[in-house]
Structure formats: C-alpha cells, structure tokens
C-alpha cells in the first residue's frame, strides 16, 4: 500500500495566483480529510468527505478556499486567489475504521 | 472544540517516564494519539473509544476517562526515538454517523541521551 499520496510536496507561488493541492487517499478508505498546519494555529481541520460527499466544511477559512472529491481516489484543495497568510503545510488524511493515515503534506509558501 | 493538552513541552533523559494529558469540554466519541517528527506527517499511535478503555503497545499506553472527557498518554522507559510532538485528537459528532477529529496544540517531547 502506497499510503496517502499528496502532490506537490512543495509549492511556492505569488500572491494572487491560484494554487491546487492534490490528494490520493488509501484505496478503500471512506473518509478523506484536509488539514492545515501552522506554528500559530496548529493542525486545523478544513473540510472532510465521506464517500466523496463533503460533510463538514466549517473549517474552510474563506470563500477563497474550495475542495472537491470527484471520485474515491482523488481530491483537490484549491486556493484562489492565494495570500501570504495561506502559507502553511497542508495535509490530506484518510481513514476507514481505525486511525487516520496522513499524507506527507504540501508545504505552501505564498510570497 | 479544540482539546487542551498539557504540558506544552517535556524534556527527558533516556529511560525516564512521561505523561501527556488531554482534556475536552465536549462529549467525545473517541480519542486519538499521534506523534509527529520535525518535517514529517503525524503518525497514528492509537485510538481509544468511549467506554473507558486503556490501550498500549510496547512502552506507550493510553487511557480514556469518558466521564471526565480526559485521556492520558503514558511513555515509559523513554527511548531517543520517542522524541517528537505528540498530538491528541478528539472525535466529536458532526451529525448522523459522521465524526470529525480536532487536534490539540501538541506536546513537544525531547529525549536526551
């Protein structure tokens, strides 16, 4: 099992640009989560899906953020337009009945 | 909704024990524990479901007091490899049969030789 796969690992972009982060969950895992980690705020839950359906997006900070899960093996988190305060490590995680398995994360830097 | 962890940081010598605490003001479905090393993703350690259970593997164990909405992680005879940031995550209902996991701010554990 390859685990949860995220891409890209690092992203540097200019303020105002669109950023798309990608995630492939573990096959068979029904739940997919997007988290953001910063020193100040720790690990924050942004949104999660169950069987490709968004269940709770109350953690999405602004309308600039959107997430989709078109099928069971792929999800995207999009920021448009990006701002410097969006700089963080973004993790995708999936689970079945046990614990969460995290991807390696995408380190986003907005300059 | 975010659980509260204590202490914020712990420094140990190899072989010493540590306890990390986690508490919530919400009724919990479960408690998770994760360890994160610098520059890496959090790694799942264990999950405790409501019912007041205790779990463990190797020299790391945890308990969950459902009545108090508290959990503790016990690290005994610490090893250098235990160093990292430990997060507790608490699962609460999101409605229906869905639950969301919210993490505490973490406890930085440093084990020195």
């Amino acid at each position: 099992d390859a685990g949860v796969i995220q891409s890209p690992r690092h992203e540097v972009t200019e303020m105002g640009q669109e950023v798309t982060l990608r995630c492939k969950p573990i096959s068979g895992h029904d739940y997919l989560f997007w988290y953001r980690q910063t020193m100040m705020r720790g690990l924050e839950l942004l949104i999660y899906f169950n069987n490709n359906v968004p269940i709770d997006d109350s953690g999405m900070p602004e309308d600039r953020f959107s997430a989709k899960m078109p099928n069971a093996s792929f999800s995207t988190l999009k920021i448009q337009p990006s701002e410097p305060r969006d700089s963080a490590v973004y993790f995708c995680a999936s689970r079945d009945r046990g614990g969460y398995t995290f991807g390696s994360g995408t380190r986003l830097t907005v300059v | 909704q975010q659980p509260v962890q204590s202490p914020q940081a712990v420094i140990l010598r190899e072989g010493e024990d540590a306890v990390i605490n986690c508490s919530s003001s919400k009724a919990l479905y479960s408690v998770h524990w994760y360890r994160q090393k610098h520059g890496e993703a959090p790694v799942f350690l264990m999950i405790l479901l409501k019912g007041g259970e205790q779990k463990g593997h190797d020299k790391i164990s945890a308990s969950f007091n459902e009545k108090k909405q508290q959990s503790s992680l016990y690290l005994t005879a610490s090893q250098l490899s235990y160093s990292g940031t430990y997060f507790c995550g608490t699962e609460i209902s999101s409605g229906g049969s869905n639950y969301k996991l919210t993490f505490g701010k973490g406890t930085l554990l440093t084990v020195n030789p």
Side-chain angles (χ1 to χ4, degrees):
Chain A
D1 190 347
V4 177
I5 300 173
Q6 289 188 247
S7 65
R9 288 295 307 273
H10 302 273
E11 177 81 37
V12 180
T13 190
E14 290 185 348
M15 183 174 63
Q17 295 297 306
E18 177 180 295
V19 176
T20 299
L21 311 181
R22 297 172 176 79
C23 175
K24 176 178 168 51
I26 292 173
S27 177
H29 282 195
D30 295 336
Y31 288 86
L32 183 139
F33 302 80
W34 283 99
Y35 285 88
R36 177 173 70 176
Q37 186 174 36
T38 60
M39 287 294 292
M40 291 297 294
R41 302 173 71 91
L43 269 165
E44 301 174 275
L45 175 64
L46 301 177
I47 184 171
Y48 78 95
F49 298 82
N50 180 9
N51 290 317
N52 314 337
V53 177
I55 301 300
D56 189 331
D57 66 353
S58 59
M60 296 286 261
E62 301 170 34
D63 291 345
R64 298 184 296 107
F65 286 70
S66 62
K68 294 182 180 180
M69 192 164 186
N71 57 62
S73 59
F74 184 65
S75 177
T76 59
L77 178 68
K78 186 177 293 186
I79 308 172
Q80 165 64 17
S82 58
E83 297 183 2
R85 58 193 167 121
D86 301 331
S87 297
V89 179
Y90 290 80
F91 287 105
C92 170
S94 70
R95 74 170 296 190
D96 48 9
R97 293 186 179 184
Y100 290 44
T101 301
F102 283 78
S104 298
T106 295
R107 181 173 295 275
L108 174 66
T109 304
V110 183
V111 298
Chain B
Q1 285 187 347
Q2 187 178 42
V4 178
Q5 280 186 242
S6 63
Q8 291 185 348
V10 183
I11 299 175
L12 302 174
R13 288 205 177 274
E14 206 172 0
E16 292 182 337
D17 302 340
V19 180
I20 301 171
N21 299 302
C22 175
S23 64
S24 173
S25 59
K26 299 280 187 180
L28 302 178
Y29 173 72
S30 70
V31 177
H32 296 222
W33 286 96
Y34 292 77
R35 176 171 61 209
Q36 184 179 31
K37 294 188 181 280
H38 184 69
E40 299 180 7
V43 174
F44 172 70
L45 294 176
M46 65 187 77
I47 179 173
L48 301 102
L49 302 176
K50 65 177 183 179
E53 64 176 325
Q54 184 156 354
K55 275 194 174 181
H57 58 83
D58 197 12
K59 294 172 182 169
I60 300 176
S61 62
S63 63
F64 177 24
N65 186 320
E66 182 185 348
K67 289 183 180 178
K68 294 185 177 180
Q69 307 300 330
Q70 293 175 347
S71 179
S72 294
L73 184 72
Y74 307 94
L75 301 103
T76 58
S78 59
Q79 305 168 15
L80 296 177
S81 62
Y82 286 6
S83 292
T85 301
Y86 288 78
F87 292 96
C88 80
T90 52
E91 261 189 322
I92 59 174
S93 175
S94 252
S97 60
N98 293 303
Y99 300 87
K100 62 181 181 182
L101 188 68
T102 305
F103 287 95
K105 297 240 175 182
T107 296
L108 177 61
L109 180 76
T110 304
V111 181
N112 293 320

